[in-house]
Amino acid sequence: MTARFQNPVDTRFGWGSLQDLAAITEQQTVALVTFPEARGLGLVDRLQALLGERLIYIVEDVQPNPDVAHLRNTYEHFWQHAGDCDVVLAVGGGSAIDTAKALIVGTESGRFDELLSLLSSGKPFTPARCKQLIAAPTTAGTGSEVTPWATIWDSASQKKYSLHLDCTWPRVAIIDPQLMLTVPASVTVSTGLDALSHALEAIWNVNANPVSDTFAISAIEDILECLPRLHKDLSSHELRSRMALAALKAGLAFSNTKTALAHSISYEMTLRHGLPHGIACSFTLPLVLGLAWGQDATRDRTLQRVFGADQGKAQQQLREFLHSLGVKTEFADYGVSAKDAEAIIHLAMQGARGKNFIGSQAA
């Protein structure tokens, strides 16, 4: 059977690679989407210096888990005041990049509710217009810089929307580990665990192939070895670079497989229990590893390249790794009863991401 791997993103990696931005956007006008602390960190001034007068618009009030209640005004204001820009530049974590992906998809009316209506239909659509996107992550975890997906939340209605179009693939990804030096310990851990989830989810996945496995295995090995060390030495250039590369490799892996059961469970845990995304999708990894083991001989061999041949020891290794980073691994730790946990898992199996899990058909 032929394995196919496809990723259209022009990917730039390396310490100081943000400097490439001036050449990448030459003669193009740019709208910036970034996080509220970026200005205080001097990042907005740095981008202004790189882009000069070509930086014509700035969104700097991005919220975690972009919600329709906040996005509506941001979206409509963007299209009213920066609709003529050539490129949208997202600099930040997954929420900044997801926000930018929502902004670049233009509707006929310029109204955000038209976009929501298209997403609600669940049917493919061709946007009326679309901007080019450049993504520069400031955390090692999202993978969004090399994937087309964005998650939009509607906490009031307890719903989420998944946005993915041909035009929501970033044109360029700039992974500069220098941008990650100021990330605090808690965010370093949660985003690093998001990357670990991406890599593991790419393995226990019906869409996995030998190319995605190569990226996933390398990412898992690096994260298991590197993240605990980085947690204790946040200023290490070497460890920041290694984690940035590991997160990129995890992103490349799941860019072709999509995520699976752990992420499907995470949506409910974020919506109803308020867990940060990285924790919501990683605390069940030992459990999901156990559910995956034995479902597919090829997937077992791939997992065993990382964890060895003993399922119990593999789960325990993963559990102890999470505990060492202060992450609890039982539903009860987050106030979820055994009965409710069973219902969450059952519901997650039925979701689009849950169906990517190799054990979903046996459930």
Side-chain angles (χ1 to χ4, degrees), residues 140-206:
T142 173
S144 191
E145 72 277 7
V146 289
T147 75
W149 303 297
T151 300
I152 299 171
W153 302 85
D154 185 347
S155 55
S157 300
Q158 293 285 285
K159 292 196 299 188
K160 75 162 193 72
Y161 302 93
S162 183
L163 172 64
H164 53 98
L165 301 168
D166 287 345
C167 73
T168 53
W169 285 97
R171 177 169 70 86
V172 182
I174 302 173
I175 297 92
D176 182 348
Q178 188 175 17
L179 296 176
M180 303 170 191
L181 267 178
T182 56
V183 178
S186 61
V187 180
T188 297
V189 167
S190 65
T191 54
L193 293 178
D194 191 17
L196 177 63
S197 303
H198 293 153
L200 283 166
E201 296 262 87
I203 291 177
W204 52 55
N205 198 302
V206 297

Side-chain angles (χ1 to χ4, degrees), residues 106-351:
T107 57
E108 198 73 54
S109 64
R111 307 283 295 184
F112 182 70
D113 286 341
E114 185 181 342
L115 176 59
L116 273 191
S117 179
L118 290 165
L119 292 174
S120 297
S121 74
K123 298 174 183 176
F125 67 93
T126 301
R129 46 199 167 155
C130 205
K131 300 294 181 186
Q132 293 184 353
L133 175 64
I134 297 172
T138 57
T139 60
T142 173
S144 191
E145 72 277 7
V146 289
T147 75
W149 303 297
T151 300
I152 299 171
W153 302 85
D154 185 347
S155 55
S157 300
Q158 293 285 285
K159 292 196 299 188
K160 75 162 193 72
Y161 302 93
S162 183
L163 172 64
H164 53 98
L165 301 168
D166 287 345
C167 73
T168 53
W169 285 97
R171 177 169 70 86
V172 182
I174 302 173
I175 297 92
D176 182 348
Q178 188 175 17
L179 296 176
M180 303 170 191
L181 267 178
T182 56
V183 178
S186 61
V187 180
T188 297
V189 167
S190 65
T191 54
L193 293 178
D194 191 17
L196 177 63
S197 303
H198 293 153
L200 283 166
E201 296 262 87
I203 291 177
W204 52 55
N205 198 302
V206 297
N207 302 307
N209 66 62
V211 183
S212 61
D213 281 350
T214 300
F215 285 118
I217 291 167
S218 181
I220 294 163
E221 290 174 341
D222 282 351
I223 294 166
L224 291 177
E225 195 270 325
C226 184
L227 187 55
R229 292 175 57 199
L230 178 58
H231 186 223
K232 296 174 182 174
D233 187 7
L234 296 171
S235 62
S236 168
H237 290 201
E238 178 205 350
L239 295 174
R240 287 290 185 188
S241 295
R242 286 185 61 192
M243 271 303 301
L245 183 57
L248 171 61
K249 288 185 285 191
L252 290 168
F254 93 96
S255 76
N256 275 246
T257 65
K258 304 179 184 176
T259 52
L261 181 59
H263 270 73
S264 193
I265 292 169
S266 81
Y267 302 135
E268 187 80 0
M269 294 301 292
T270 295
L271 271 174
R272 301 194 186 280
H273 298 275
L275 264 66
H277 176 70
I279 306 304
C281 64
S282 63
F283 87 94
T284 60
L285 290 176
L287 168 67
V288 179
L289 176 61
L291 295 174
W293 204 284
Q295 297 290 343
D296 180 287
T298 302
R299 301 295 85 216
D300 281 356
R301 284 193 294 272
T302 305
L303 289 167
Q304 287 165 12
R305 286 171 62 184
V306 177
F307 294 107
D310 187 306
Q311 176 190 334
K313 286 183 179 177
Q315 287 179 277
Q316 189 59 24
Q317 178 188 346
L318 202 46
R319 201 174 286 116
E320 289 175 357
F321 170 80
L322 290 163
H323 291 171
S324 75
L325 294 167
V327 177
K328 297 174 180 177
T329 53
E330 304 298 327
F331 277 97
D333 295 323
Y334 301 97
V336 180
S337 69
K339 181 181 177 182
D340 286 347
E342 189 176 333
I344 288 171
I345 294 169
H346 177 75
L347 180 66
M349 286 278 195
Q350 316 309 314

